[in-house]
Amino acid sequence: MIHRRQERWLLKLFTFGFAIAAGLVGADFDWNLPKGFPRPTVPADNPMTAAKVELGRYLFYDKRMSMNGKKSCGSCHRQELAFTDGRAHAEGTTGEFHPRGSMSLVNVAYAPLLTWANPALDSLEEQALTPMLGDKPIELGLKGHEQEFLNLLRHDNLYQRLFAEAFPQTGDIYTLQNAIKAIAAFERTIISMRSPYDRYRWGGDLSAISDSAKRGELLFFSSERGGCFQCHGGWNFSVIRFEGNRDRRREDDPRAGFFNTGVTTYLPPNRGLYEHTQRADDIGKFQAPTLRNIALTAPYMHDGSLSTLEEVVDHYTAGGKMDHPNKSRILRPFHLTDGEKRDLIEFLKSLTDEELLHDPRWSNPWNSAEQR
């Protein structure tokens, strides 16, 4: 009886967002979404077109965007790792390490939060400027080399065609702003909704996930034991936004969605939300990322301090390994048997979308062309 109530609650939780989006007038762009899934929010000044997305794909993987030709956006966001890089700390083109790991770009179009700890950065177009032009740390190191890069685009035969198709207006189309718009458009298309769990929960395929994963689902959404859904909720297992939906919680409090989970000591520059708010009660608070494809995105947490899903589960069953005055009140020790831990991990593994990892729409186009 308890399981039936939980099943009904799960269906209500997941379908609520879809109902809001139903019946909205769609744009011409074909998102290729499964039936019932909402369209992402798109800024009015950067409408989606297939030509712009294709240009963005080439730019995303072009190492010439870095100051020394060694790195591209795709270097830290690898398709086979669900657009992460497998590192505890991202490495820039000069070898300098970022204090945090690269976040997955999967379903980033639905994310109201785009970084581990900056509550003000909610535009993909604006976010792209950080790896391009930022110098603390240097990622691509394009700052001071912008015109050199734009000249390269202007005189490249391939980019001449791609830019003209993506931006058919008159005037100078070879601008950093247009390059950023194209990259953001490409990133918005990286959508994962084809995991075994999706086939089970939305496709009605009862055999898509194991009995162990089904038991793990109940633990994940249990308010008495796992409670994981409290930070990783909804169909994207995170905070989400979509076309026609306003995130009122974020509007009322831009600090919502960030949590101190007692991971480690919090020293500069890794003090989380505090680095932007300068509020002592924000020390150690970081975004709760999506859990889709989580089995592929190790190491875990903002600092990569947990290497395996087993370590993550142990961390949370202990209520967080570090005491801190800002630690979320959601966290509390609870007991899981070894079998229950395996069930929970099996459920998390069922969120892996294997098709995402090989879909040619998001592959590196330079693999079939000379990377100059």
Side-chain angles (χ1 to χ4, degrees), residues 13-217:
L13 169 70
F14 279 103
T15 56
F16 174 72
F18 303 153
I20 294 176
L24 295 175
V25 177
D28 292 335
F29 184 76
D30 181 10
W31 289 96
N32 194 28
L33 300 174
K35 184 178 179 180
F37 278 79
R39 291 180 298 271
T41 299
V42 175
D45 64 348
N46 191 21
M48 299 290 292
T49 68
K52 192 184 297 180
V53 170
E54 184 66 355
L55 169 61
R57 184 167 75 107
Y58 276 88
L59 289 168
F60 183 88
Y61 287 107
D62 197 332
K63 293 182 178 180
R64 294 174 296 177
M65 190 181 293
S66 63
M67 62 185 295
N68 55 12
K70 293 183 178 180
K71 295 277 187 177
S72 69
C73 304
S75 300
C76 290
H77 300 282
R78 294 162 51 189
Q79 183 178 11
E80 70 272 20
L81 296 177
F83 292 92
T84 61
D85 65 357
R87 294 176 176 270
H89 303 279
E91 182 181 3
T93 196
T94 63
E96 184 177 0
F97 285 96
H98 197 288
R100 292 176 286 279
S102 298
M103 300 189 77
S104 174
L105 294 181
V106 174
N107 291 353
V108 72
Y110 296 101
L113 308 170
L114 297 179
T115 68
W116 281 110
N118 188 345
L121 198 55
D122 60 1
S123 159
L124 281 173
E125 288 78 6
E126 182 181 354
Q127 189 279 330
L129 290 171
T130 299
M132 280 186 183
L133 306 180
D135 54 12
K136 294 181 180 180
I138 291 175
E139 295 181 58
L140 294 176
L142 194 59
K143 186 176 182 179
H145 303 273
E146 298 95 326
Q147 198 55 52
E148 178 183 342
F149 177 63
L150 294 177
N151 286 337
L152 180 154
L153 299 178
R154 185 176 288 110
H155 294 98
D156 184 285
N157 290 335
L158 174 62
Y159 278 125
Q160 287 174 1
R161 176 178 62 81
L162 292 174
F163 267 87
E165 293 173 350
F167 300 100
Q169 68 269 30
T170 58
D172 185 10
I173 57 176
Y174 303 99
T175 66
L176 195 61
Q177 189 62 35
N178 280 350
I180 288 170
K181 285 183 175 181
I183 292 171
F186 169 70
E187 291 175 341
R188 286 190 176 95
T189 69
I190 304 173
I191 293 175
S192 173
M193 297 178 179
R194 296 174 290 181
S195 70
Y197 182 73
D198 292 313
R199 297 197 299 274
Y200 165 70
R201 177 52 62 195
W202 315 123
D205 182 355
L206 299 182
S207 65
I209 67 174
S210 66
D211 289 340
S212 175
K214 293 173 186 177
R215 294 191 298 268
E217 177 192 31

Side-chain angles (χ1 to χ4, degrees), residues 277-351:
T277 67
Q278 297 298 298
R279 293 178 52 154
D281 60 346
D282 284 337
I283 292 175
K285 292 183 179 180
F286 292 88
Q287 182 196 160
T290 179
L291 296 186
R292 283 186 173 271
N293 305 289
I294 192 68
L296 302 172
T297 61
Y300 303 108
M301 320 309 275
H302 68 278
D303 60 351
S305 58
L306 301 180
S307 299
T308 66
L309 287 175
E310 287 78 8
E311 289 182 15
V312 173
V313 171
D314 286 342
H315 171 83
Y316 284 113
T317 56
K321 65 182 180 182
M322 299 287 293
D323 286 326
H324 193 280
N326 295 342
K327 189 166 72 173
S328 173
R329 287 175 291 179
I330 294 172
L331 293 183
R332 52 179 173 75
F334 62 97
H335 176 70
L336 292 179
T337 66
D338 289 344
E340 288 172 326
K341 289 180 181 180
R342 287 193 294 271
D343 290 342
L344 183 55
I345 290 171
E346 281 304 303
F347 167 68
L348 294 174
K349 289 180 178 179
S350 79
L351 303 179

